């Protein structure tokens, strides 16, 4: 431990001794974003609207540097004084005069306007357009949909350009239409399988240059203390030899659901050695939670930052507490009482999340595996959870849960982005899934996903692989990826990142270095060891106590030996 | 996972015992440093008062091989002869024991020979002692086994303890092995008895004022024996039983190693096995008997002591056996025990503790901390100590069988060679 600390000190000293800093290296995603300012206005407070707004926010923040998200009720015309693009998303048409007036005021806006959803037809920009009856389409851009979608039959101005058509049996319906600076997306929801068409169209709608490369990453997933070290080594080294950056999603502690027993990576020297080897060869560590569990579930199976039993945010610090559903406002005398209640629950969730993240960062760092990013177990987390996480991490891998009521409301945007829900964290989205042996043809599934993703310029190819599957499928998967001509592996150390707790600072200045300052007080280290391994700590206590007594007894023996003759003489008297 | 829990359990049980013994070893050493500091003032007190009358009981059943030597030692005892009466109790003797006794009685007026009669005859040690209790009236009763040769001042020191420590119901002296050099077995027993007395007896007295009355070299007040109605004839180890009953009256029992006797120990494994099986069974019987009514005992310290016995004869061996089984199974099949190096270090510490604890007690005695003895101690850990495991299991099986069949306890007198079995003690 001590020598490691010194090693880091050395790294830091060397860094400061360099005459010129190379901090100005920008991450490959930020310098490609457009500088135009975007306002995303939405109407509707339902879960589905929120999910779509988060999706749009994610996509847009991957394309534009500044994206502002505003609910229509909060929107004032003044917001648009410096904006270049307005996007309005609404499924429902407006009924209240005040709202209608706000939308009508947009008439004066001269920048780009994009309406999404049937409610967006309220925009004055579409006065020359005719929106007719509803229709169902099974195909968009020649591609069959898994689920048909409802669209509007539209009469569009002659000069308008149709970017994407939808088809039903007999007719063709414009789905994405661009008329100069005014565009319309004729869909209720944009976060489903249509997201590829929608995302792709944005380049054309906003006259954006198309990037030449697809950033890509591959995670080795769920590496917990019970993972097979040989397979982790094998898969990790395979990627390293291929020149592919290795991202290890590590769970520091395994919790046995039946016995409550905890095994840490510290307890599994073989795995520790393998991880050390991989990290020394440039592998990145992603903190994949602390135990990957909440309530009685096995590590790797359970959720950690979401109560999957009650399908609600975390409400108790102790995972063995009985499940209690969050109460409804109707169960309270007044709104104030309800808000106090919700506030107290949030505090618990905050404390819980802080504890888990701190433990994860501390233990990983202490063992020599400083994490550079975070991935929530099963991607589940409330918006409050993301807010807390953003205080610790700057990079998040995986998908995004975008509802505080239901973990299944999950989005997987296509760009490296900074959606507002992440409070400043950068999302490295997972877009192609994983090798799922439950599927009849897992590799073909991924192949299809890659086809979809690569149809969108600049879209991230992000997936993961379970090391326990061995090399077989990994070779196939890597073979698939290597065939993508314009793929560019993401090296996180070429981006600016930071991970921090009160006692640990891990920073990636973007020049290939990872600097770690670790200063965890021994009290905290012992507290953790005690928590994880109290029995072993007691045993060490016994060892210390016994050693003291053995020394004391040895002293007695020598004392008696020393006085031996004197004693014999005395006894003879 | 199951294996882990079993391993934890055995570790916990074993280490509770080891730590407790460590604590006792410390107490034993303290007692060694302090026990004789009172002697000068106690001697002065002895000079001032009218000394109590003392009866020395020597229960004997066909002891012609050893009795002459014993009585010789008795005849030399330092105590006013008008206050001392040595009573040789011949219980159903068919050899020359009585004849030899009578010889001494003729020469020494303070030596007397009696023969058990009627219901007392041939029932064993307790019964013989009860008979002698009826036939005598000394204020203090000292008991010696027929193979004992007490040092001159042994009885004097026992009485000195009773006179000066009014809270002591009984005073227990120290016994040493006279035939230690004879066989490898007696060498082990010698080390064992020294350690037992300086650790378990002295240590327990130092911390809790508890000493187990052994079968020999102890003195007790007659009024206590009368109050208790004599010795319990149904217990195999009448001494452990007596100990508990004396404590129940509110007395303590002092370990006073200034009173020394020498006794013979089994020289062959066969005799050792039978003798120790009896002790183990006897103690298992007593533990189970008192475990049930532990909480009604007047002395809470005694409750603690019974739990200690329970640990010794049940849990500790269970733990050791469990850990041995796990060790062996683990050789052939990986149990994935999650405890790593600490278990190995603990094992090493246990061994070191064993060595140092024994070395302390050996260095107390003259000429015992020798290189040769040290080698025997190391050897002992792997041989003699392990024999105890088999023995306790064997005793447990016998005792279980007896309880199932609801048999009465029968006193099996150990077969005699030139060596006679020693009085009862716990170890």
């Amino acid at each position: 431990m001590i020598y490691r600390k010194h090693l880091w000190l050395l790294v830091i000293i060397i860094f400061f001794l360099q005459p010129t800093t190379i901090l100005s290296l920008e991450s490959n995603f930020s310098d490609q974003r457009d500088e135009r300012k975007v306002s995303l206005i939405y109407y509707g407070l339902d879960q589905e609207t929120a999910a779509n707004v988060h999706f749009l926010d994610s996509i847009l923040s991957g394309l534009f540097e500044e994206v502002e998200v505003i609910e229509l009720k909060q929107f004032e015309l003044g917001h648009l004084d410096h904006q270049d693009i307005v996007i309005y998303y609404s499924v429902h048409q407006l009924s209240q005069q005040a709202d209608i007036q706000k939308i009508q005021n947009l008439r004066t806006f001269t920048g780009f306007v994009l309406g999404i959803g049937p409610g967006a037809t309220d925009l004055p920009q579409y006065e020359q357009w005719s929106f007719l009856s509803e229709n169902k389409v099974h195909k968009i851009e020649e591609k069959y949909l898994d689920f048909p979608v409802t669209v509007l039959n539209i009469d569009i101005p002659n000069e308008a350009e149709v970017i994407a058509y939808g088809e039903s049996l007999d007719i063709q319906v414009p789905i994405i239409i661009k008329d100069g600076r005014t565009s319309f997306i004729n869909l209720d929801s944009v976060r489903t399988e249509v997201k590829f068409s929608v995302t792709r169209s944005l380049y054309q709608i906003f006259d954006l240059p198309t990037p030449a490369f697809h950033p890509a990453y591959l995670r080795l997933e769920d590496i917990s203390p019970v993972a097979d070290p040989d397979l982790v080594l094998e898969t990790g080294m395979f990627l390293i030899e291929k020149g592919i950056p290795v991202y290890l999603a590590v769970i520091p502690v395994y919790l046995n659901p039946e016995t409550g027993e905890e095994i840490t990576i510290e307890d599994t020297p073989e795995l520790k050695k393998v991880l050390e080897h991989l990290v020394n060869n440039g592998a990145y560590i992603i903190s994949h939670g602390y135990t990957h569990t909440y309530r009685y579930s096995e590590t790797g199976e359970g959720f950690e930052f979401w109560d999957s039993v009650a399908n609600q945010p975390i409400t108790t610090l102790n995972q063995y507490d009985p499940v209690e559903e969050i109460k409804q406002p109707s169960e309270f005398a007044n709104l104030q009482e309800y808000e106090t209640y919700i506030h107290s629950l949030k505090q618990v969730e905050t404390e819980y999340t802080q504890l888990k993240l701190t433990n994860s960062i501390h233990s990983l760092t202490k063992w020599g595996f400083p994490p550079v990013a975070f991935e929530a177990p099963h991607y589940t987390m409330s918006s409050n959870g993301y807010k807390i996480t953003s205080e610790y991490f700057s990079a998040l891998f995986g998908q995004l849960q975008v509802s505080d009521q239901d973990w299944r409301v999950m989005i997987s945007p296509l760009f490296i982005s900074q959606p507002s829900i992440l409070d400043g964290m950068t999302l490295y989205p997972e877009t192609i899934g994983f090798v799922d042996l439950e599927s009849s043809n897992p590799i073909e599934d991924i192949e299809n996903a890659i086809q979809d993703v690569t149809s969108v310029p600049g879209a991230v190819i992000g997936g993961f692989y379970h090391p326990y599957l061995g090399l077989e499928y990994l070779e196939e998967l890597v073979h698939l990826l290597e065939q993508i001509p314009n793929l560019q592996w993401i090296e996180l150390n070429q981006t600016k990142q930071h991970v921090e707790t009160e006692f640990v600072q891990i920073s990636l200045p973007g020049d290939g270095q990872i600097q770690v300052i670790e200063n965890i007080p021994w009290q905290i280290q012992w507290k953790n060891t005690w928590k994880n391994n109290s029995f072993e700590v007691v045993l060490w206590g016994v060892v210390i106590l016994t050693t003291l007594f053995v020394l004391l007894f040895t002293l007695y023996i020598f004392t008696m030996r020393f006085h031996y003759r004197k004693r014999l003489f005395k006894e003879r008297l | 996972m199951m294996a882990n829990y079993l391993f934890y359990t055995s570790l916990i049980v074993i280490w509770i015992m080891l730590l407790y013994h460590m604590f006792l070893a410390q107490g034993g050493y303290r007692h060694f440093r302090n026990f004789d500091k009172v002697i000068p003032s106690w001697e002065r007190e002895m000079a001032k008062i009218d000394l109590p009358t003392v009866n020395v009981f020597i229960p004997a059943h066909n002891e012609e091989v050893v009795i002459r030597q014993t009585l010789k030692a008795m005849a030399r005892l330092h105590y006013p002869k008008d206050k001392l009466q040595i009573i040789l109790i011949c219980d159903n003797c068919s050899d020359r024991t009585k004849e030899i006794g009578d010889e001494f009685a003729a020469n020494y007026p303070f030596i007397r020979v009696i023969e058990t009669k009627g219901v007392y005859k041939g029932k064993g040690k307790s019964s013989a002692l009860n008979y002698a209790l009826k036939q005598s009236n000394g204020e203090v009763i000292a008991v010696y086994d027929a193979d004992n040769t007490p040092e001159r001042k042994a009885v004097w020191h026992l009485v000195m303890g009773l006179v000066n420590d009014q809270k002591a119901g009984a005073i227990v002296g120290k016994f040493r092995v006279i035939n230690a050099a004879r066989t490898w077995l007696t060498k082990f027993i010698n080390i064992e008895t020294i350690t037992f007395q300086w650790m378990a007896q002295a240590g327990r007295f130092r911390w809790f004022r508890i000493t187990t009355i052994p079968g020999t070299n102890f003195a007790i007040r007659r009024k206590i024996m009368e109050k208790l109605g004599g010795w319990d004839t149904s217990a195999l180890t009448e001494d452990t039983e007596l100990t508990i009953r004396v404590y129940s009256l509110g007395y303590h029992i002092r370990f006073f190693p200034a009173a020394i006797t020498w006794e013979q120990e089994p020289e062959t494994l066969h005799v050792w096995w039978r003798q120790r099986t009896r002790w183990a069974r006897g103690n298992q019987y007593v533990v189970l008997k008192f475990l049930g009514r532990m909480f009604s005992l007047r002395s809470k310290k005694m409750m603690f002591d019974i739990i200690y016995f329970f640990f010794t004869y049940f849990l500790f061996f269970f733990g050791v056996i469990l850990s041995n089984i796990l060790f062996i199974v683990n050789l052939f099949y990986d149990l994935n025990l999650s405890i790593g190096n600490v278990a190995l270090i603990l094992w090493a510490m246990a061994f070191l503790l064993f060595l140092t604890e024994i070395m302390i007690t050996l260095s107390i005695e003259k000429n015992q901390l020798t290189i040769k003895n040290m080698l025997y101690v190391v050897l002992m850990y792997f041989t003699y100590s392990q024999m105890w495991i088999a023995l306790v299991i064997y005793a447990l099986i016998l005792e279980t069988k007896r309880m199932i069949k609801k048999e009465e306890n029968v006193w099996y007198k150990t077969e005699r060679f030139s060596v006679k079995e020693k009085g009862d003690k716990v170890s």
Side-chain angles (χ1 to χ4, degrees):
Chain A
M1 210 66 245
I2 289 168
Y3 78 86
R4 193 174 295 140
K5 245 182 210 163
H6 286 215
L7 199 71
W8 286 121
L9 206 66
L10 199 68
V11 169
I12 292 158
I13 289 168
I14 289 169
F15 174 76
F16 281 115
L17 284 178
Q18 284 179 341
T20 52
T21 50
I22 29 174
L23 280 174
S24 55
L25 261 182
E26 288 289 311
S27 67
N28 48 1
F29 108 93
S30 55
D31 55 359
Q32 284 174 4
R33 291 192 297 178
D34 196 280
E35 286 176 3
R36 281 176 290 174
K37 295 186 171 103
V38 180
S39 283
L40 170 61
I41 305 163
Y42 67 96
Y43 172 72
L45 295 172
D46 56 298
Q47 186 168 280
E48 192 49 38
T49 298
N52 273 287
V53 170
H54 285 303
F55 176 79
L56 287 168
D57 181 17
S58 305
I59 292 288
L60 292 168
S61 65
L63 294 171
F64 297 96
E65 279 177 19
E66 275 183 55
V67 180
E68 182 192 31
V69 183
I70 325 160
E71 205 241 315
L72 182 63
K73 302 265 184 213
Q74 316 296 325
F75 170 72
E76 298 299 334
L77 197 60
H79 278 121
L80 301 184
D81 285 352
H82 304 286
Q83 302 303 90
D84 303 297
I85 294 170
V86 167
I87 297 162
Y88 176 57
Y89 172 74
S90 173
V91 176
H92 303 287
Q93 286 194 292
L94 301 171
S95 51
Q96 287 181 338
Q97 200 49 48
D99 296 335
I100 295 171
Q101 193 53 51
K102 280 185 181 176
I103 286 296
Q104 285 300 321
N105 287 344
L106 284 173
R107 187 184 301 275
T108 56
F109 182 71
T110 54
F112 283 82
V113 174
L114 166 63
I116 303 170
T121 56
D122 285 336
L123 282 169
Q125 273 76 359
Y126 303 126
E127 270 170 2
Q128 304 302 314
W129 305 37
S130 311
F131 299 97
L132 311 168
S133 60
E134 284 185 352
N135 214 327
K136 277 208 187 278
V137 295
H138 305 91
K139 241 176 164 183
I140 286 180
E141 289 189 292
E142 304 297 313
K143 217 176 157 217
Y144 280 99
L145 300 172
D146 290 337
F147 303 95
V149 293
T150 306
V151 297
L152 295 171
N153 288 317
I154 317 176
D155 264 354
I156 52 170
N158 289 336
E159 63 278 14
E161 180 191 351
V162 177
I163 297 172
Y165 276 109
E167 287 169 61
S168 69
L169 286 176
D170 43 0
I171 55 150
Q172 225 187 13
V173 183
I175 300 294
I176 305 173
I177 310 116
K178 179 179 180 181
D179 180 16
R181 291 192 158 199
T182 301
S183 304
F184 182 68
I185 296 179
N186 186 8
L187 291 165
D188 285 11
S189 173
V190 290
R191 68 184 184 97
T192 60
E193 54 188 319
V194 301
K195 69 182 175 190
F196 303 103
S197 299
V198 170
T199 310
R200 189 169 51 239
S201 72
L202 296 179
Y203 287 101
Q204 207 172 333
I205 289 172
F206 299 118
D207 297 334
L208 288 164
T210 51
F213 294 101
H214 289 287
Y217 72 82
L218 196 57
R219 294 191 317 262
L220 293 179
E221 196 77 345
D222 287 340
I223 300 174
S224 83
V226 292
D228 183 330
D230 295 338
L231 294 176
V232 174
L233 181 68
E234 192 179 45
T235 48
M237 283 316 287
F238 173 77
L239 294 178
I240 286 172
E241 279 155 22
K242 285 272 178 188
I244 298 171
V246 179
Y247 291 85
L248 305 166
V250 181
I251 306 155
V253 173
Y254 171 84
L255 188 73
N256 186 314
E258 283 160 30
T259 60
E261 190 196 18
E262 292 185 351
I263 305 172
T264 69
I265 287 179
E266 184 91 297
D267 302 329
T268 51
E270 267 181 75
L271 180 68
K272 205 177 162 202
K273 232 185 214 164
V274 165
L275 294 182
E276 270 164 16
H277 182 71
L278 294 175
V279 167
N280 288 340
N281 279 283
Y284 299 103
I285 300 289
I286 296 173
S287 155
H288 194 22
Y290 184 54
T291 58
H292 207 304
T293 54
Y294 183 65
R295 305 221 184 272
Y296 296 95
S297 51
E298 192 174 357
T299 291
E301 294 298 320
F303 298 19
E304 187 166 6
F305 296 94
W306 185 261
D307 187 338
S308 61
V309 179
N311 195 14
Q312 64 186 20
I314 300 293
T315 50
T316 64
L317 288 179
N318 183 355
Q319 59 172 339
Y320 300 116
D321 283 349
V323 181
E324 223 172 87
E325 279 192 29
I326 295 178
K327 292 180 194 158
Q328 296 301 311
S330 57
E331 295 174 62
F332 292 86
N334 55 48
L335 195 65
Q336 199 187 348
E337 272 181 33
Y338 173 72
E339 277 169 0
T340 315
Y341 166 72
I342 290 293
H343 181 70
S344 69
L345 287 185
K346 256 194 184 162
Q347 273 184 324
V348 172
E349 189 195 26
T350 301
E351 195 183 332
Y352 174 92
T353 309
Q354 285 170 338
L355 196 75
K356 288 276 193 170
L357 295 179
T358 310
N359 281 343
S360 179
I361 296 169
H362 283 180
S363 52
L364 287 171
T365 308
K366 204 172 61 196
W367 300 328
F369 314 122
V372 294
F374 179 72
E375 180 199 346
H378 293 291
Y379 325 119
T380 54
M381 213 174 219
S382 72
S383 54
N384 183 45
Y386 287 128
K387 201 173 140 201
I388 307 303
T389 308
S390 72
E391 290 162 16
Y392 293 84
F393 291 93
S394 68
L396 181 85
F397 280 70
Q399 301 181 21
L400 268 190
Q401 179 185 332
V402 286
S403 161
D404 286 348
Q405 279 82 45
D406 186 352
W407 69 268
R408 289 163 300 191
V409 184
M410 193 78 74
I411 61 169
S412 163
L414 298 172
F415 299 129
I416 297 170
S417 59
Q418 291 176 325
S420 52
I421 188 175
L422 291 187
D423 252 296
M425 279 192 289
T426 302
L427 173 71
Y428 291 83
E430 183 187 301
T431 53
I432 60 166
F434 63 106
V435 176
D436 184 0
L437 288 197
E438 281 179 16
S439 158
S440 53
N441 197 341
I443 293 295
E444 199 182 299
D445 291 351
I446 292 190
E447 207 173 347
N448 291 336
I450 289 175
Q451 229 166 39
D452 285 338
V453 173
T454 50
S455 74
V456 180
V460 175
I461 300 165
F464 67 87
Y465 186 79
H466 288 115
Y468 64 73
L469 298 178
L471 264 191
E472 190 191 337
Y473 291 98
L474 185 62
E475 282 172 344
E476 280 188 67
L477 176 60
V478 167
H479 180 70
L480 271 183
L481 293 169
E482 281 179 331
Q483 290 184 335
I484 303 168
N486 49 354
L487 175 144
Q488 194 178 50
W489 291 110
I490 299 172
E491 284 285 5
L492 211 64
N493 64 13
Q494 298 301 319
T495 66
K496 283 186 199 170
Q497 306 292 354
H498 62 91
V499 176
E500 60 180 86
T501 70
E502 198 182 339
F503 306 112
V504 167
Q505 279 92 41
I506 302 160
S507 48
L508 289 72
D511 58 359
Q513 291 192 64
I514 299 177
Q515 297 154 9
V516 181
I517 299 170
E518 184 219 303
N519 212 348
I520 308 169
W522 63 268
Q523 297 95 322
I524 289 182
Q525 297 199 28
W526 266 98
K527 214 173 109 191
N528 270 336
T529 320
W530 172 254
K531 236 189 87 234
N532 296 331
N533 261 326
S534 32
F535 190 65
E536 208 170 319
V537 173
V538 170
L539 291 187
W540 280 111
V542 169
V543 168
I544 291 167
L545 184 72
T546 316
T547 311
L548 288 177
F549 267 88
V550 165
L551 290 176
L552 190 67
F553 289 169
T554 313
L555 184 75
Y556 291 166
I557 294 165
F558 278 104
T559 319
M560 278 192 277
R561 234 17 237 177
F562 189 70
H563 295 295
Y564 188 61
R565 282 180 188 286
K566 211 166 107 190
R567 197 145 55 85
L568 280 190
F569 179 72
K570 202 173 118 194
E571 270 172 30
R572 228 173 271 140
L573 285 179
Chain B
M1 227 25 71
M2 186 62 191
N4 261 326
Y5 275 91
L6 289 175
F7 186 61
Y8 290 169
T9 312
S10 68
L11 259 186
I12 291 169
V13 168
I14 290 172
W15 274 93
I16 287 177
M17 279 304 275
L18 295 186
L19 291 180
Y20 183 60
H21 278 124
M22 188 173 88
F23 171 69
L24 288 185
Q26 167 69 13
Y29 177 74
R30 298 309 311 160
H31 191 54
F32 158 68
R33 294 302 292 258
N34 294 313
F35 84 92
D36 55 356
K37 288 199 174 140
V38 292
I39 291 179
S41 68
W42 282 11
E43 288 281 11
R44 284 196 293 278
E45 185 66 21
M46 289 286 271
K48 266 189 244 164
I49 57 154
D50 185 22
L51 290 173
T53 52
V54 177
N55 295 141
V56 176
F57 292 169
I58 308 166
H61 170 66
N62 295 343
E63 305 285 5
E64 62 179 10
V65 188
V66 287
I67 200 66
R68 184 177 297 277
Q69 193 188 328
T70 306
L71 290 174
K72 248 188 212 165
M74 293 296 168
R76 283 202 313 263
L77 282 178
H78 169 87
Y79 202 79
K81 296 299 180 292
D82 58 326
K83 303 255 167 143
L84 179 72
Q85 188 171 49
I86 313 282
I87 302 177
L88 176 68
I89 315 154
C90 286
D91 183 29
N92 211 14
C93 287
S94 53
D95 65 351
R96 292 184 59 240
T97 308
K98 186 170 182 304
E99 203 182 311
I100 298 167
D102 288 338
E103 217 176 277
F104 275 87
N107 289 328
Y108 303 97
F110 57 92
I111 295 182
R112 189 182 146 197
V113 181
I114 61 172
E115 263 186 297
T116 51
K117 289 193 175 71
V119 286
Y120 294 101
K121 191 172 172 174
K123 292 270 174 64
K125 189 174 170 184
S126 298
S127 184
L129 289 170
N130 283 338
Y131 181 71
L133 193 64
K134 282 205 147 194
Q135 303 289 318
S136 60
N137 57 9
E139 292 161 73
V140 171
I141 293 159
V143 177
Y144 282 92
D145 277 339
D147 62 347
N148 269 234
T149 45
E151 292 189 358
R152 265 189 84 232
K153 289 191 88 173
V155 168
W156 174 261
H157 278 130
L158 291 178
V159 176
M160 184 199 277
L162 282 180
V163 164
N164 287 283
D165 183 357
Q166 286 301 321
K167 281 186 185 158
I171 302 290
V172 171
K174 179 173 81 176
F175 65 85
R176 294 292 312 279
V177 177
I178 202 163
N179 55 342
R182 284 289 283 278
T183 68
W184 61 271
L185 186 63
T186 56
K187 284 189 181 92
F188 284 151
I189 296 174
N190 176 47
I191 295 168
E192 180 198 22
T193 54
I194 291 173
T195 310
F196 160 72
Q197 293 184 90
W198 280 115
M199 200 158 80
Q201 295 282 66
R204 273 155 68 232
F205 177 72
R206 162 75 197 183
W207 299 121
F208 310 113
R209 308 263 121 181
I210 288 176
T211 312
T212 302
I213 297 176
T216 188
N217 197 26
F218 72 91
I220 190 163
R221 298 176 202 277
R222 173 176 288 269
K223 63 174 184 199
I224 291 179
M225 276 327 296
E226 280 172 356
K227 204 179 219 173
L228 292 176
W231 276 266
D232 178 1
T233 51
S234 63
L236 276 182
T237 45
E238 76 293 335
D239 35 37
T240 311
E241 166 96 25
L242 181 63
T243 307
I244 297 172
R245 292 196 294 152
V246 169
Y247 275 100
S248 299
L249 290 180
Y251 290 101
H252 66 238
I253 299 168
R254 177 176 286 271
F255 181 61
F256 195 46
I260 302 163
T261 186
W262 294 77
E263 66 173 23
Q264 290 195 341
E265 294 296 342
E267 291 177 10
T268 64
L269 204 53
H270 174 73
V271 180
W272 179 86
W273 183 267
R274 290 203 63 171
Q275 178 199 44
R276 299 300 170 102
T277 307
R278 185 165 61 78
W279 296 355
R281 286 182 66 188
N283 283 321
Q284 284 165 0
Y285 164 81
V286 171
V287 169
L288 290 181
K289 178 178 163 186
F290 282 94
L291 204 61
R293 41 186 158 115
M294 203 168 66
F295 297 98
S296 57
L297 286 177
R298 192 166 141 191
S299 166
K300 292 294 168 238
K301 282 179 197 160
M302 209 57 221
M303 191 169 101
F304 186 79
D305 217 40
I306 289 168
I307 295 173
Y308 166 60
F309 270 68
F310 180 63
F311 255 91
T312 310
Y313 284 97
F314 295 91
L315 292 184
F316 180 66
F317 284 95
F318 163 76
V320 171
I321 292 161
L322 195 63
S323 118
N324 283 353
I325 292 172
L326 285 175
F327 176 74
I328 291 165
V329 172
N330 208 22
L331 287 182
F332 299 102
Y333 171 76
D334 190 4
L335 291 173
N336 285 317
L337 296 177
S338 62
I339 287 291
N341 298 335
V342 72
L344 271 180
I345 294 171
L346 275 177
W347 185 84
M349 289 320 296
F351 186 64
L352 278 178
L353 255 190
F354 175 84
L355 287 186
T356 48
E357 282 168 0
I358 292 182
M359 279 164 74
I360 286 187
T361 59
L362 290 187
S363 53
I364 290 174
E365 298 298 339
K366 260 180 275 179
N367 300 326
Q368 293 300 325
L369 192 69
T370 58
I371 301 282
K372 220 171 164 189
N373 261 350
M374 284 327 303
L375 291 176
Y376 270 99
V377 172
V378 175
L379 196 63
M380 201 170 161
Y381 185 89
F382 297 100
T383 54
Y384 188 78
S385 305
Q386 309 302 325
M387 266 157 51
W388 263 101
I389 300 175
L391 190 122
V392 169
I393 298 174
Y394 176 67
L396 208 57
I397 293 169
L398 290 186
E399 204 41 25
T400 315
K401 250 193 210 162
R402 186 191 65 77
M403 289 206 322
I404 292 168
K405 289 188 185 164
K406 293 199 160 73
E407 279 172 9
E408 281 292 302
N409 266 331
V410 183
W411 183 281
Y412 292 106
K413 177 113 184 154
T414 316
E415 184 185 339
R416 301 295 168 144
F417 303 95
S418 59
V419 173
K420 196 201 111 349
E421 69 169 358
K422 173 183 68 171
D424 304 286
K425 75 174 179 69
V426 268
S427 178

